[in-house]
């Protein structure tokens, strides 16, 4: 199975330009699962809820149509971040799309910094969706620091965790090694690059998008400032059996009666 | 506050020799918290429950007396592994000892490989104990792969996690970086070195004992085959405030209603 990411620097507020960037980068790419960054079409540094709302979509609108289009070109399932609108609420969401349309949506549970001012926190349990028979969960960016999200997905059967990101802190990539080891899952962290200066905000995104293997191996790693598409070939069956040896199992050995969480 | 570890290669079954090794290594060392490896006095590769039982102790016997002795010499609190016997059950335990005697005991929750054949799994919630006013929790070796143990200790107030180990897998040291980051705690991983070949077993222990800081910094790191004592100076207050920024907090931002663990 071929899984990987698009790393690039979205132009703030310019969906059509960002769609063209992604489509150009993906030219000739055939894959099974492609992960795009968090909020890949809109940029990140909103200054008000109104501004974020002006770039939001109800599922089925232009971003999902674009993703459906590239799903067809690449013969792939795509996971990508977008601003989801429901009534007057906005969510920092990621959708999974294939040629049939939207398969599922994850609403980011832990909002980072000023996201709290315009987005509502996710209000659904993270779910797992099937991609060509393989179970794939979604988490977004800051979820990396909470072991609970990836654990929930892995206990729910996820073999691969798609992880659209707009990382500004330096630690997520190494933490994803631990997330994959402790849960025996693959992960695709699709980060963005570039800088956004808007109002008082000045974000430099750290790139280094990464596909991580079930033994914590870094299967492919981007640099911190180059737009690129990178893929890794994996055997998703490696994520199925949670045995460590004949006596130990990553899930069965948890001693839930003695944890206070 | 000075915290650190003794890394050395215990001689199997030779408590008095191992006591002398530890006391010699600690000569002249003054510290606040010193962590010794898992099963530091007995060795690891038992071949039967009877053999493990023959090296077991009820709390208060010779190993605790030795630890009390070195606590006095070093003016420190000591955390160290031992085989705890209660009725006919044996536990892979670690005790915390100061000059007044035993402060607390942790019984290893997830037993590794053949430990399951002679030890009973821990049957108590991991607790936090005060060392000179600083809250210290204990976990043992294989606990590193389960985020739940360190999370339980951190939520219980631990500022420092003492982590006696007999590591044979290569991943714990980097995982402890994530444990410290996700919980904002310090950790002292005290690993052993050397090789034990007994019966069909052949264990090579990986050393690289490590003190890890609250930002995932490796504060001090031993090599993989040298007996040594290494210390780090820390400010335990850095582990008290779990804020990431004005909007985010490592504990408060957990979305427990949406995790299925």
């Amino acid at each position: 199975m071929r899984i990987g990411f698009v790393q690039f620097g979205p132009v703030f507020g310019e969906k059509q330009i960002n769609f063209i960037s992604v489509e150009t980068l993906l030219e000739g790419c055939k894959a099974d699962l492609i992960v795009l960054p968090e909020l890949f079409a809109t940029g990140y540094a909103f200054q008000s809820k109104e501004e974020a709302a002006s770039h939001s979509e109800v599922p089925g609108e232009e971003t999902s149509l674009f993703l459906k289009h590239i799903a067809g070109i690449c013969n792939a399932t795509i996971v990508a971040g977008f601003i989801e609108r429901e009534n007057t609420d906005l969510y920092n969401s990621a959708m999974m799309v294939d040629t049939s349309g939207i398969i599922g949506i994850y609403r980011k549970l832990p909002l980072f910094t000023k996201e709290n001012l315009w987005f509502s926190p996710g209000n659904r349990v993270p779910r797992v969706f099937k991609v060509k028979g393989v179970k794939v969960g979604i988490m977004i960016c800051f979820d990396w620091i909470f072991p609970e999200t990836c654990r929930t997905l892995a206990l729910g059967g996820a073999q691969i965790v798609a992880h659209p990101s707009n990382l500004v802190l330096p630690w997520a990539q190494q933490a994803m090694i631990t997330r994959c080891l402790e849960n025996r899952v693959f992960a695709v962290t699709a980060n963005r690059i570039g800088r956004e200066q808007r109002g008082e905000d000045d974000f430099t995104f750290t790139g280094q998008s990464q596909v991580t293997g079930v033994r914590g191996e870094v299967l492919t790693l981007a640099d911190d400032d180059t737009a690129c598409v990178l893929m890794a070939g994996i055997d998703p069956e490696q994520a199925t059996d949670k045995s460590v040896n004949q006596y130990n199992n990553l899930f069965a050995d948890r001693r839930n009666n003695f944890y206070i969480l």
Side-chain angles (χ1 to χ4, degrees), chain A residues 79-216:
Chain A
V79 175
F82 76 113
I83 305 175
E84 182 186 4
R85 186 177 70 252
E86 185 180 61
N87 303 317
T88 60
D89 290 325
L90 305 178
Y91 297 93
N92 184 341
S93 293
M95 62 178 127
M96 179 182 288
V97 177
D98 68 12
T99 53
S100 70
I102 295 175
I103 300 168
I105 291 174
Y106 167 69
R107 293 174 170 174
K108 187 176 184 179
L109 286 171
L111 298 173
F112 187 68
T113 64
K114 289 185 180 177
E115 295 172 31
N116 285 282
L117 303 182
W118 27 89
F119 297 131
S120 299
N123 52 1
R124 296 176 181 162
V125 171
R127 288 180 54 209
V128 168
F129 308 98
K130 282 208 175 175
V131 174
K132 298 182 182 172
V134 175
K135 293 176 180 170
V136 179
I138 306 172
M139 62 186 216
I140 299 178
C141 202
F142 193 46
D143 270 312
W144 70 264
I145 209 168
F146 303 94
E148 291 86 355
T149 313
C150 196
R151 195 63 137 186
T152 295
L153 292 171
L155 288 168
Q159 294 159 274
I160 303 170
V161 173
H163 182 212
S165 297
N166 274 192
L167 295 161
V168 293
L169 300 175
W171 301 296
Q173 289 84 349
Q174 92 86 37
M176 291 309 293
I177 292 173
T178 303
R179 298 286 167 259
C180 289
L181 268 174
E182 70 200 12
N183 292 298
R184 193 165 295 168
V185 293
F186 295 91
V188 182
T189 299
N191 195 16
R192 62 164 288 181
I193 56 175
R195 183 176 178 181
E196 280 187 15
Q197 294 171 284
R198 304 194 75 243
E200 294 178 349
D201 296 322
D202 185 353
F203 295 108
T204 298
F205 301 94
T206 56
Q208 301 175 71
S209 298
Q210 175 175 297
V211 180
T212 316
V214 296
R215 303 279 178 181

Side-chain angles (χ1 to χ4, degrees), chain A residues 54-76:
Chain A
S54 73
H55 300 285
S56 68
E57 297 182 30
V58 171
E61 294 189 309
E62 58 185 332
T63 298
S64 63
L65 296 175
F66 166 71
L67 296 174
K68 186 174 168 177
H69 166 66
I70 61 166
I73 291 176
C74 301
N75 196 29

